[in-house]
Amino acid sequence: MTLCKLTENNIDALAGRKICCVEKSLSYLEELCQKFDILDQISCIVETNRRNLGKFSFHGKEIDILYISYLIKIDFQETAVLITSDYTEEVYDKIGEVLAADMPDAVIYYFANKETEYEEYYRKKYADVPLENMIVFRSGPHASSYVKGMDFGDNARALFEYALQVGLNHTYELVWLVKNPEEFRQYDLVENVKFVSYDWSVSEEQAQRDAYYRALCLAKYIFFTDAYGFARNCRKDQIRIQLWHGCGFKTRVNFVRCEKRYEYTTVISDLYADIHADIYGLRKDQVLVTGYAKQDWLFHPEKEDFIRLKIPEARKYIFWLPTFRSTERKLAQLNEYVLESETGLPVVNTRKQLEVLNSLLAKKDIVLIVKLHPFQDRNEVYCEGCTNIHLVENEDLVEQDIPINRLLGQADALISDYSSGAVDFMLLDRPIAFMLEDVEEYEKSRGFVFENIREWLPGKEVFTFEDVCAFAEEVADDEDTTKDKRQRLRKRMHKYLDDKSCQRILEAFHIIPESK
């Protein structure tokens, strides 16, 4: 079996044959058909992910998406197999596993899109150039899901700030891949710190491409939160570390094995090491128990943040991180179902209930801070006239440059759903309540990493509006009815209970010396 790049010089080999694409990618198909005009020849797409099977329409053509085992039925004289994926080598290996030794003479083609073409050029250029003392950082989802602020945040940002704090930029060049580098001019005068646009990977300007691929090809370490496809073709001597964004309760959708997609990932305990090795398809030695970098922020809140966000003064503060329900962006991977509510909030469904809750909070001198999900449509949430309920949007945090975990460090209590934010907050050993009105539906649709999920929730269970009010009363009266359960679970879910996760991560890779 031979892997061959599809080019203008060999496209004639596909003339008169059907084409079976491997891996569905709309962007790849768009570029492929624009360059070679072969849409009519595409007979099907085969996938390794059963969730994607079915049909889909592409420029008016209905295309079947079949499981990869379909390849054994193909007549290679009549049909050409064409890889349309960022992960060419990985997909090629999977094809080999399916075909085994049955097709030793088969030619498997792959299409290189514009970004892949550029990267192949630069990888070849830098193949024998020694790696430099350079660390690349990136955060947020894939570029197509860009939301302002998410490209400079989370665990990657926390680790970067710690690196500056300990003076790592005196020995390493620290390079951030972001959407718009001009938004980070405050770092222009900081030694050895650069911001480069990830859009420069396909820039028409050579200087921009040179800057991007120099960092990608010559960095010794690449730390990222979430998106990792940009680092798919790294050299064997480069180390890629998936910092991820949290250890929570939800299971992962659209499972893909990541064993070959990065070298290491960080988690917060041995319990989650086993969970993440399983759901992300990793070897146990790839999962490092260090704690999450952004958890360090919890221990260092800044009172000035409340002033900048115009949060009213109060005796107590309860933070609420509501379930993400719907979005004007309609991102399918997050839009699990739409909440029908006058307020746009779970459990507190009517405006009358909102008024009652606000009166209770005012009476008890509590401010409820509702932090909306970055993808949440603000127009769907109603809190007008509520003196003691304060909405904080992603845009507010971005504008004021405030990480959410630093803000959470000032919370006296937390109301959450099934997100990792509640697991982070456990470190502060303060009361937590969980909105469970949709627990059965959620378990059937997305699911959880734990069986008997309610046994693993370190806080008060909230099903009704009355439960919300009861929790507020408990916080006001300094009652902590679930303290024993929380502390018991905290010992299992967290290995470390301190603010030294960033230090442990850098020590794990010998970037800084281990402390004694």
Side-chain angles (χ1 to χ4, degrees), residues 130-269:
L131 297 181
E132 299 180 8
N133 273 358
M134 186 191 311
I135 301 174
V136 165
F137 297 88
R138 182 169 174 174
S139 71
H142 192 275
S144 61
S145 299
Y146 168 76
V147 172
K148 188 176 176 63
M150 290 184 71
D151 60 338
F152 183 62
D154 217 283
N155 285 310
R157 175 175 175 177
L159 190 64
F160 166 73
E161 290 184 348
Y162 179 79
L164 290 181
Q165 179 185 327
V166 298
L168 196 60
N169 56 312
H170 300 315
T171 53
Y172 282 85
E173 183 179 353
L174 309 181
V175 181
W176 263 96
L177 304 182
V178 294
K179 177 73 172 177
N180 301 307
E182 61 273 12
E183 295 177 356
F184 302 93
R185 295 302 178 202
Q186 68 269 32
Y187 291 98
D188 281 355
L189 299 180
V190 180
E191 180 186 359
N192 274 341
V193 172
K194 292 182 179 178
F195 283 76
V196 171
S197 175
Y198 49 66
D199 288 339
W200 292 355
S201 64
V202 292
S203 174
E204 298 298 332
E205 296 186 27
Q206 183 175 336
Q208 292 181 342
R209 291 200 311 275
D210 287 349
Y212 175 84
Y213 285 108
R214 171 184 168 268
L216 187 61
C217 295
L218 295 182
K220 287 184 178 179
Y221 304 95
I222 303 176
F223 289 98
F224 41 85
T225 302
D226 202 346
Y228 51 80
F230 73 99
R232 60 192 175 274
N233 295 317
C234 284
R235 286 162 39 170
K236 294 186 182 300
D237 52 349
Q238 291 183 292
I239 298 177
R240 300 165 293 183
I241 304 97
Q242 169 65 281
L243 298 171
W244 203 228
H245 57 255
C247 289
F249 305 98
K250 308 170 188 176
T251 193
R252 186 185 182 190
V253 295
N254 294 327
F255 172 82
V256 176
R257 288 195 64 86
C258 295
E259 179 182 357
K260 297 179 180 179
R261 300 194 173 189
Y262 43 83
E263 282 64 53
Y264 298 98
T265 190
T266 57
V267 294
I268 63 175
S269 65

Side-chain angles (χ1 to χ4, degrees), residues 36-49:
F36 293 114
D37 191 24
I38 55 175
L39 176 58
D40 291 341
Q41 294 176 247
I42 297 177
S43 60
C44 65
I45 298 173
V46 297
E47 265 274 5
T48 57
N49 191 337

Side-chain angles (χ1 to χ4, degrees), residues 419-432:
S419 74
S420 60
V423 179
D424 287 351
F425 192 73
M426 289 174 72
L427 287 172
L428 298 179
D429 197 22
R430 299 171 191 170
I432 305 172

Side-chain angles (χ1 to χ4, degrees), residues 201-390:
S201 64
V202 292
S203 174
E204 298 298 332
E205 296 186 27
Q206 183 175 336
Q208 292 181 342
R209 291 200 311 275
D210 287 349
Y212 175 84
Y213 285 108
R214 171 184 168 268
L216 187 61
C217 295
L218 295 182
K220 287 184 178 179
Y221 304 95
I222 303 176
F223 289 98
F224 41 85
T225 302
D226 202 346
Y228 51 80
F230 73 99
R232 60 192 175 274
N233 295 317
C234 284
R235 286 162 39 170
K236 294 186 182 300
D237 52 349
Q238 291 183 292
I239 298 177
R240 300 165 293 183
I241 304 97
Q242 169 65 281
L243 298 171
W244 203 228
H245 57 255
C247 289
F249 305 98
K250 308 170 188 176
T251 193
R252 186 185 182 190
V253 295
N254 294 327
F255 172 82
V256 176
R257 288 195 64 86
C258 295
E259 179 182 357
K260 297 179 180 179
R261 300 194 173 189
Y262 43 83
E263 282 64 53
Y264 298 98
T265 190
T266 57
V267 294
I268 63 175
S269 65
D270 294 328
L271 172 70
Y272 275 105
D274 291 337
I275 291 171
H276 279 223
D278 180 40
I279 65 177
Y280 296 105
L282 302 170
R283 303 184 314 275
K284 294 294 179 64
D285 63 292
Q286 290 181 273
V287 187
L288 306 179
V289 181
T290 58
Y292 275 143
K294 67 178 179 180
Q295 291 174 341
D296 291 359
W297 279 327
L298 289 166
F299 298 93
H300 302 281
E302 296 184 10
K303 292 184 178 180
E304 183 69 20
D305 290 344
F306 271 34
I307 298 173
R308 289 156 59 196
L309 291 172
K310 300 180 181 178
I311 296 173
E313 290 189 13
R315 186 174 62 90
K316 298 271 188 177
Y317 293 97
I318 300 175
F319 275 68
W320 187 3
L321 307 178
T323 304
F324 176 78
R325 306 292 176 149
S326 61
T327 172
E328 59 187 358
R329 297 172 181 82
K330 301 301 179 188
L331 299 182
Q333 68 269 31
L334 291 174
N335 190 20
E336 286 150 347
Y337 68 97
V338 177
L339 179 72
E340 295 181 1
S341 165
E342 290 182 10
T343 63
L345 298 170
V347 179
V348 186
N349 296 320
T350 69
R351 296 187 181 186
K352 178 61 177 176
Q353 288 177 332
L354 202 63
E355 292 174 5
V356 172
L357 177 60
N358 186 67
S359 296
L360 171 63
L361 295 169
K363 179 181 177 181
K364 299 293 185 178
D365 195 15
I366 297 174
V367 167
L368 177 64
I369 301 169
V370 182
K371 162 60 178 67
L372 299 182
H373 191 282
F375 293 122
Q376 180 73 47
D377 182 359
R378 167 64 179 85
N379 295 324
E380 294 180 357
V381 180
Y382 176 87
C383 285
E384 300 303 323
C386 294
T387 57
N388 285 61
I389 300 176
H390 188 89

Side-chain angles (χ1 to χ4, degrees), residues 93-142:
D93 289 343
K94 290 177 181 177
I95 293 172
E97 292 172 7
V98 172
L99 298 179
D102 297 337
M103 301 294 297
D105 298 326
V107 176
I108 307 298
Y109 295 90
Y110 77 94
F111 172 67
N113 65 0
K114 185 178 181 180
E115 182 174 0
T116 303
E117 289 276 13
Y118 282 136
E119 185 170 9
E120 286 181 343
Y121 165 78
Y122 282 98
R123 288 291 178 189
K124 183 176 180 181
K125 173 182 177 180
Y126 289 119
D128 298 320
V129 177
L131 297 181
E132 299 180 8
N133 273 358
M134 186 191 311
I135 301 174
V136 165
F137 297 88
R138 182 169 174 174
S139 71
H142 192 275

